[in-house]
Amino acid sequence: MPYKKKIILLGSAAAALALVYGLTLFFDPARVNTRNAYFTWLPAGAREEADRIEIFRGQEKLELVLRNGQWAALLAAPGEFPGAGESSPVMEVPVKQGRVDDLFRILETRGAFPRRGSSPENHADLGLTDNAARLVIRGGAGLPLLDLLVGRDDASGKEVFLRRNGENVFRSGNRLIGSYVNGQRSSWYDLRLFEEVSLDLVQKVQVNFTGAEGVENFGIVRSGENWNFEGGAPILDRENLENWIRGILEAQGEDFRIPVNFNPRARISLELGNGSVLLLQIGETEEDKSPGLVSGKPYLFVLPQWTVSRLLRDQNYFR
């Protein structure tokens, strides 16, 4: 057999073997399962279309809306939810924008969400019935971009069972999706009393409340690098004072509330170098919590008692 013909035959045989090997790899059951496991719940670009997020847990509903490029939550009266009735007072409260971004990142990223089955008989055992916790993402009118039922964790506790509403196929995957749906409402809220105000901007602090020793009504004024009580007496513990002011600027509530029958019992005002004034009013304590109203914000913060105690210091604390 001529040498050239041998080369052609050997090359053809090698190509045939390579093809068979490639097909074997491609159709290998383990590799097929791995490929099928990778899945995305939202197509690329859905983040830009979305303008509303709805989370249902039984009778409870959390609704986030996009306003001027920022997400906000709809806050209703206690025991009610947005849409419960026309008489229900509803207002918008700020949410953590990064938390919304993280949710979309998980839903838009192609990840491991292996198909676990398609039998409706399994839905109840996995917590995927029509009464399951539910995440709905909308973009304008019409059908939602995503309507996702969130069930129980799997046996490992590392994944959660998931099913598109209206479909029988169910998958498992990133347990973080379950934490977004089943976590506390307040985990979405941006509960900072003040937004990124530097201590260097504060020129004066005025405090008024009734403490254990009687009425506390005093002012503290910046004097160069130091601080004095209004009237001239120097602040001897500057570090203690400035940590207290930082504590006011960085304070957070633990929830929001619609302002009904708010009666302030304490006031803290901070005058800034640009002429603006930040005012915090604190209401009566109920069950170790107090409502707080910040100037320029229509909603109340729910303040735990330990936060209130840390904010309302008497004059002796700074001597």
Side-chain angles (χ1 to χ4, degrees):
M1 182 181 293
Y3 178 76
K4 186 175 181 181
K5 191 173 182 180
K6 287 183 179 180
I7 293 296
I8 293 172
L9 288 174
L10 288 173
S12 300
L17 288 173
L19 177 61
V20 170
Y21 180 70
L23 290 173
T24 302
L25 288 178
F26 185 81
F27 290 106
D28 178 68
R31 291 177 178 269
V32 170
N33 288 338
T34 300
R35 288 198 302 272
N36 290 340
Y38 281 88
F39 183 82
T40 180
W41 294 101
L42 282 174
R47 172 73 170 85
E48 285 68 39
E49 294 182 45
D51 57 17
R52 187 174 296 265
I53 301 171
E54 300 168 351
I55 296 174
F56 299 87
R57 292 190 309 237
Q59 295 299 312
E60 183 183 2
K61 177 182 178 182
L62 172 65
E63 194 166 356
L64 310 180
V65 293
L66 187 64
R67 302 284 193 232
N68 300 318
Q70 294 287 305
W71 288 92
L74 299 185
L75 179 70
E80 298 181 346
F81 56 86
E86 293 182 1
S87 62
S88 302
V90 176
M91 62 175 53
E92 295 179 8
V93 296
V95 300
K96 300 169 184 173
Q97 304 301 306
R99 184 173 173 82
V100 179
D101 291 339
D102 289 342
L103 173 62
F104 277 104
R105 190 174 299 114
I106 291 173
L107 297 175
E108 287 185 332
T109 300
R110 190 170 177 82
F113 292 96
R115 175 172 170 158
R116 298 301 187 187
S118 60
S119 174
E121 286 75 19
N122 293 327
H123 292 172
D125 291 337
L126 303 178
L128 291 174
T129 63
D130 293 342
N131 295 323
R134 184 175 161 212
L135 169 66
V136 181
I137 298 179
R138 300 186 182 277
L143 295 175
L145 301 173
L146 178 66
D147 190 344
L148 185 65
L149 300 177
V150 181
R152 300 190 179 100
D153 292 347
D154 71 352
S156 71
K158 297 178 180 179
E159 296 187 344
V160 66
F161 290 105
L162 304 161
R163 176 171 73 91
R164 285 186 187 273
N165 197 13
E167 296 182 4
N168 289 330
V169 173
F170 51 88
R171 296 174 177 268
S172 68
N174 197 325
R175 189 172 177 270
L176 279 176
I177 296 177
S179 69
Y180 286 115
V181 174
N182 293 310
Q184 295 291 325
R185 296 173 63 92
S186 56
S187 65
W188 290 92
Y189 295 159
D190 182 353
L191 289 158
R192 294 174 297 169
L193 272 61
F194 306 105
E195 291 85 33
E196 299 178 1
V197 179
S198 168
L199 170 67
D200 295 337
L201 291 176
V202 179
Q203 302 300 310
K204 179 180 178 180
V205 184
Q206 187 74 39
V207 179
N208 180 274
F209 70 99
T210 301
E213 304 298 324
V215 175
E216 295 284 342
N217 188 4
F218 60 92
I220 296 173
V221 183
R222 185 187 289 276
S223 177
E225 295 296 318
N226 299 310
W227 298 85
N228 297 328
F229 282 109
E230 198 170 27
I235 300 292
L236 300 180
D237 193 338
R238 174 185 169 188
E239 182 179 357
N240 207 29
L241 170 72
E242 292 188 344
N243 286 337
W244 171 68
I245 297 175
R246 287 192 190 94
I248 297 172
L249 296 174
E250 298 171 2
Q252 298 190 31
E254 61 178 27
D255 207 343
F256 290 119
R257 226 180 71 187
I258 287 181
V260 178
N261 300 324
F262 176 70
N263 297 307
R265 66 176 178 87
R267 291 176 173 81
I268 302 175
S269 67
L270 301 99
E271 296 183 15
L272 307 183
N274 59 10
S276 61
V277 177
L278 306 177
L279 174 63
L280 168 63
Q281 301 181 78
I282 300 173
E284 296 294 335
T285 302
E286 298 178 8
E287 300 180 354
D288 293 328
K289 301 183 191 301
S290 299
L293 182 64
V294 173
S295 53
K297 299 182 178 181
Y299 41 80
L300 293 176
F301 293 89
V302 177
L303 304 174
Q305 192 54 40
W306 66 268
T307 297
V308 174
S309 300
R310 187 164 50 88
L311 297 180
L312 299 180
R313 301 292 193 182
D314 60 34
Q315 297 182 60
N316 291 328
Y317 181 77
F318 308 110
R319 295 187 188 282

